[in-house]
Amino acid sequence: MLTRRGLVAATAGLAIATESFAQGSGPIRIAVAGPLTGSNAAAGDQMKIGGQQVVEDLNAAGGVLGRQLALELGDDACDPRQAVSVANQMAGRRVAMVAGHYCSGSSIPASKVYAEEGVLQISPASTNPRYTDEGAWNTFRTCGRDDQQGQIAGKYIADNFKGKRVAILHDNQAYGKGLAEETKKAMNAAGMQETLFAAYTPGERDYNALVSRLKGANVEVMYIGGYYTEAGLILRQAKEQGMPVTLIGGDALVTRDFWQITGAAGEGALMTFSSDPRTRPSAAEVVARFKAKNIDPEGYVLYTYAAVQIWAAAAAKINSIDPRKVADAMKAQGPWQTVLGPISFDRKGDVTVPDYVFYIWRNGSYAQI
């Protein structure tokens, strides 16, 4: 409970923060937060690249409300406790918005800090429904949700692998478990039952015991709710044990690092992700700038770019970077024109038109089916 002195201090702090957002000089600090290190660093790098490019482009065009942008980077390593620490750091640096985090298990606890500290959060990648379902005024995402992605995956499995023995695996984390459960729910609703529903421990290097269990159950298809490192290892070790198994995963497999882990074992692996943003007319100019730097803006690069784009457009429209005012505008005044195309948000901060489709891995790259 706050004492009277503490309440006065908190109120004074809020007044200072509001004043700082109202001032019209000096750089505006924004942030990208995600796994810059650890097993998901490839995804964190995608977010960093997207954030750096959009800041460069906005600054070249005059900044936001006539002020230049300064980019802060936060590394949560997809660890919930580290994510809370990063959120506190960013709040202390008075960032106006955060494009992040990547892992749902990081975004959800970080969002509580940002809400209390008056920071707008737009995740390019966190798909667990709890992020916005339990979110406050400040939670948005430019990607879809697991209950939307799982619906597509579950129906696809039931329609295309009828009569096959399917295992549904997850890493017991917010993203992986949530996606696996939603896929199972949709698959079951379509009339197909799984042979096995089981968890694995993330961060291990040897999954041969799990593979032996799958092999003993004659599993022909394995759906993995989890990240690319573990999914790649499980698939590779399954193929090394001679299993003719098909892997199906979610959007966390959208990085070429997945193939670096699997090698030829990744041939034919399937995954869900939104229709390729790199091919959209709205992204052509920005994609060309990336390619001029020999960067392939795959995965969440453009989703991070769009998150900052939307914030900047909303701030310009209402002539303010006050986070609460910008958040209200983002919900009420869309659609916002972005590299992903036009985006509008519902009252929770979710995009109103998700578009999950299937991709297949062939010869080290992936293409939309």
Side-chain angles (χ1 to χ4, degrees):
M1 180 180 293
L2 283 174
T3 63
R4 180 178 176 80
R5 180 178 296 175
L7 181 60
V8 170
T11 304
L14 180 60
I16 292 170
T18 302
E19 182 183 352
S20 72
F21 287 126
Q23 290 171 348
S25 62
I28 301 170
R29 296 188 178 278
I30 65 171
V32 167
L36 302 180
T37 60
S39 60
N40 293 296
D45 192 53
Q46 291 174 358
M47 294 170 63
K48 180 179 74 172
I49 290 169
Q52 289 172 332
Q53 186 65 51
V54 70
V55 165
E56 179 183 318
D57 290 348
L58 287 170
N59 282 342
V64 174
L65 302 182
R67 297 165 65 182
Q68 294 286 283
L69 300 179
L71 183 65
E72 301 279 348
L73 296 174
D75 178 17
D76 65 17
C78 271
D79 177 81
R81 288 171 297 183
Q82 195 164 322
V84 168
S85 176
V86 166
N88 279 302
Q89 289 171 12
M90 295 306 158
R93 295 172 190 172
R94 299 310 310 154
V95 300
M97 67 85 67
V98 172
H101 296 221
Y102 171 71
C103 293
S104 295
S106 291
S107 277
I108 293 168
S111 70
K112 314 303 181 188
V113 176
Y114 294 134
E116 290 178 4
E117 297 293 338
V119 179
L120 179 62
Q121 180 184 6
I122 311 174
S123 174
S126 293
T127 53
N128 189 288
R130 286 176 49 211
Y131 168 61
T132 49
D133 285 355
E134 299 175 5
W137 61 272
N138 65 318
T139 51
F140 294 81
R141 56 179 141 211
T142 52
C143 57
R145 294 164 49 113
D146 289 337
D147 45 3
Q148 298 160 340
Q149 184 172 193
Q151 200 168 53
I152 298 296
K155 187 175 187 307
Y156 184 91
I157 294 169
D159 289 346
N160 292 275
F161 295 95
K162 197 168 294 183
K164 301 289 186 180
R165 297 176 66 82
V166 178
I168 299 180
L169 311 173
H170 64 84
D171 60 6
N172 232 358
Q173 298 185 89
Y175 163 72
K177 186 177 182 182
L179 182 55
E181 288 176 339
E182 292 295 342
T183 299
K184 170 179 160 38
K185 187 189 304 181
M187 191 181 80
N188 293 164
M192 188 173 187
Q193 296 297 312
E194 69 279 4
T195 300
L196 185 68
F197 185 84
Y200 60 87
T201 303
E204 294 187 351
R205 306 300 298 175
D206 185 351
Y207 290 102
N208 279 297
L210 171 63
V211 170
S212 294
R213 183 181 176 192
L214 298 173
K215 193 173 182 180
N218 296 316
V219 167
E220 299 163 281
V221 178
M222 57 181 181
Y223 182 88
I224 297 184
Y227 296 100
Y228 66 89
T229 302
E230 290 81 9
L233 285 170
I234 292 169
L235 176 60
R236 191 183 75 199
Q237 290 166 16
K239 292 294 180 73
E240 287 171 351
Q241 286 200 31
M243 285 187 67
V245 66
T246 299
L247 169 69
I248 303 174
D251 54 301
L253 272 59
V254 186
T255 168
R256 285 187 171 81
D257 284 45
F258 170 74
W259 187 271
Q260 290 179 10
I261 294 168
T262 65
E267 188 74 13
L270 300 165
M271 62 187 178
T272 46
F273 190 59
S274 297
S275 60
D276 194 342
R278 296 170 296 183
T279 64
R280 300 177 192 179
S282 54
E285 186 179 334
V286 173
V287 168
R289 284 200 287 276
F290 278 116
K291 290 189 174 180
K293 298 179 179 180
N294 293 317
I295 295 172
D296 178 11
E298 66 168 345
Y300 290 101
V301 173
L302 295 175
Y303 284 82
T304 305
Y305 192 106
V308 179
Q309 258 190 320
I310 294 166
W311 166 81
K317 192 164 190 176
I318 64 171
N319 196 34
S320 173
I321 59 168
D322 179 274
R324 284 184 178 269
K325 292 178 181 177
V326 174
D328 289 342
M330 284 172 57
K331 291 177 182 176
Q333 300 190 37
W336 304 101
Q337 301 307 314
T338 78
V339 289
L340 303 177
I343 289 180
S344 297
F345 297 100
D346 64 18
R347 62 182 180 80
K348 292 181 180 179
D350 290 317
V351 294
T352 54
V353 187
D355 64 338
Y356 284 110
V357 295
F358 262 89
Y359 290 77
I360 188 166
W361 280 91
R362 298 286 192 203
N363 299 317
S365 61
Y366 53 88
Q368 186 174 323
I369 298 177

